[in-house]
Amino acid sequence: MVSFAYPCSIGSSSSVLTAEGDSIDFTVMNISFWPHTNFFETYGFKHGEGSMSANQLSDYTFSESDIILTEDALEGMFHTKTYNRQRCWEAEGKDTTYVSVVGTVKPFKYANDLRPLPTVFIPEKNPNILDYLEDIHIAVRIKDGVSMERFMNDFKPWMLREMRAGNLYARDLQSYDDLIADSEFSSAISLYRRNLSVAMFFLINLCLGVIGTFWLQTRTRREEIGVMLSYGATPYNIRRLLLGEGVVLTTIATFVGCIIYMQYGLSEGLHEVSSYIKVITQPCWIDNFGQHFLIVSFIIYLILLLVVLTGIYIPAHRISNIAPTEALRDE
């Protein structure tokens, strides 16, 4: 790796580019890479519309002014996702440097807790390895079908023994999944993890409580269902009636709850990300309070509906299939 910024790394870098013939600045993430090292195949990037393939991008002979963009960066600057040999420029002090887009890749998530960010890939033709002596990283792509655990178990002893050159030596081996987990753990503060644990605890118990309440309430209507069966109601009609009541109750409760919750949302507003991420991130529905509130409320409604109908259907299915005399025995 020739930079501290790469997919799922803790570090990050950014720059400002402008489309040729335009004057509107566009902020993008920077990722430097070393050509002819299978960079794009190793990380699983997919080529964009009209662009050469990932392995061709890795093996391309880049000039000093060549770059690769993600499709969302290309769209942000040129208002199209189709690669067509576009050019950009950037200001360096009083100088203006033009760069050529030689290919595009599909948008990707720089980290699992971020939405896709517009990114520029900068080829480093002659990187100075001395700049990274204190923290050099080497990414190894294993063959398809090879067990990660077995590879690491076999490779690490060989690595410690053979990967040495003068005062340089390989000191540690870590899977990429573990690297991502460490990065996410370091970025998630203890308060967030504690609140998430508490929220999950209450959510599970609340769902179980609602299921249990409707389960018990439905079972207590055994005699009522027996009367309905004795008057000719079919099990299907009984289940439909009970489930319909559950849908009506859930809809009313969700509507009232959402009105109350909306007052809290209006007073608190949406979560504000860091100013750096805010500048570089493209607009999305989660940034719009109305869309955000409606979509989240609808998801909550579906979850509540699933929980309530589960608590109703199972006992309703059982008691709607018994004989009327059995249902009315204790009446």
Side-chain angles (χ1 to χ4, degrees):
M1 307 304 300
V2 295
S3 171
F4 57 87
Y6 50 88
C8 293
S9 68
I10 298 177
S12 61
S13 173
S14 66
S15 61
V16 176
L17 295 175
T18 307
E20 185 178 24
D22 202 347
S23 60
I24 300 177
D25 293 340
F26 190 82
T27 305
V28 291
M29 291 281 291
N30 293 340
I31 292 182
S32 298
F33 71 97
W34 206 333
H36 309 293
T37 59
N38 299 318
F39 175 83
F40 292 96
E41 303 98 304
T42 299
Y43 281 103
F45 289 109
K46 306 297 182 182
H47 67 88
E49 184 179 344
S51 174
M52 62 184 83
S53 64
N55 63 326
Q56 290 174 322
L57 289 174
S58 293
D59 291 334
Y60 186 80
T61 302
F62 294 90
S63 68
E64 295 292 340
S65 61
D66 290 339
I67 60 171
I68 296 171
L69 293 176
T70 53
E71 280 189 337
D72 49 355
L74 190 74
E75 184 178 21
M77 284 187 282
F78 299 97
H79 311 292
T80 179
K81 291 184 178 180
T82 304
Y83 162 69
N84 190 26
R85 301 180 182 276
Q86 292 92 337
R87 292 210 312 167
C88 317
W89 62 270
E90 59 179 338
E92 296 182 358
K94 296 182 179 180
D95 297 329
T96 299
T97 303
Y98 281 87
V99 292
S100 301
V101 182
V102 298
T104 59
V105 298
K106 295 292 184 182
F108 71 101
K109 297 177 70 172
Y110 188 81
N112 288 337
D113 57 348
L114 297 175
R115 72 188 75 165
L117 303 175
T119 304
V120 55
F121 297 91
I122 304 171
E124 295 281 354
K125 297 190 66 175
N126 299 295
N128 187 359
I129 202 68
L130 298 178
D131 292 341
Y132 310 101
L133 285 181
E134 295 182 359
D135 193 27
I136 294 177
H137 290 83
I138 300 174
V140 178
R141 179 166 60 107
I142 62 175
K143 295 180 179 179
D144 294 336
V146 175
S147 167
M148 174 66 73
E149 183 179 355
R150 181 174 180 179
F151 170 80
M152 294 183 65
N153 184 66
D154 295 341
F155 183 76
K156 190 169 186 177
W158 178 90
M159 177 193 77
L160 295 174
R161 184 177 64 253
E162 300 293 340
M163 293 187 68
R164 292 175 174 271
N167 293 329
L168 298 178
Y169 62 93
R171 65 181 182 182
D172 192 21
L173 179 66
Q174 184 182 33
S175 72
Y176 198 60
D177 290 339
D178 290 341
L179 183 146
I180 295 174
D182 291 345
S183 175
E184 292 177 346
F185 185 83
S186 63
S187 61
I189 60 176
S190 58
L191 179 62
Y192 168 78
R193 291 193 292 269
R194 185 190 68 187
N195 290 346
L196 182 61
S197 300
V198 172
M200 291 302 299
F201 173 79
F202 279 105
L203 176 62
I204 294 173
N205 282 275
L206 181 63
C207 291
L208 293 176
V210 172
I211 290 176
T213 300
F214 278 92
W215 190 305
L216 181 62
Q217 180 65 25
T218 304
R219 285 183 60 86
T220 59
R221 302 176 67 177
R222 182 186 179 97
E223 291 79 11
E224 176 187 346
I225 292 175
V227 173
M228 296 170 65
L229 289 171
S230 65
Y231 275 91
T234 63
Y236 171 76
N237 290 334
I238 293 173
R239 291 195 294 269
R240 188 175 64 176
L241 173 65
L242 295 177
L243 292 174
E245 292 177 359
V247 171
V248 172
L249 288 173
T250 304
T251 302
I252 295 174
T254 304
F255 179 74
V256 174
C258 285
I259 291 178
I260 297 173
Y261 169 73
M262 185 171 62
Q263 309 310 311
Y264 172 80
L266 289 172
S267 64
E268 293 295 322
L270 294 174
H271 170 68
E272 290 290 337
V273 298
S274 65
S275 57
Y276 167 72
I277 295 298
K278 191 173 183 179
V279 168
I280 203 171
T281 304
Q282 296 299 294
C284 183
W285 66 268
I286 61 176
D287 299 320
N288 183 289
F289 182 87
Q291 293 183 32
H292 188 281
F293 178 80
L294 290 175
I295 292 175
V296 171
S297 299
F298 181 69
I299 293 173
I300 292 173
Y301 175 67
L302 292 180
I303 294 174
L304 289 173
L305 201 61
L306 177 63
V307 170
V308 170
L309 295 184
T310 300
I312 293 176
Y313 180 80
I314 297 176
H317 178 75
R318 292 178 179 177
I319 61 180
S320 64
N321 286 307
I322 62 176
T325 54
E326 178 68 19
L328 298 172
R329 181 177 60 182
D330 300 325
E331 183 66 27

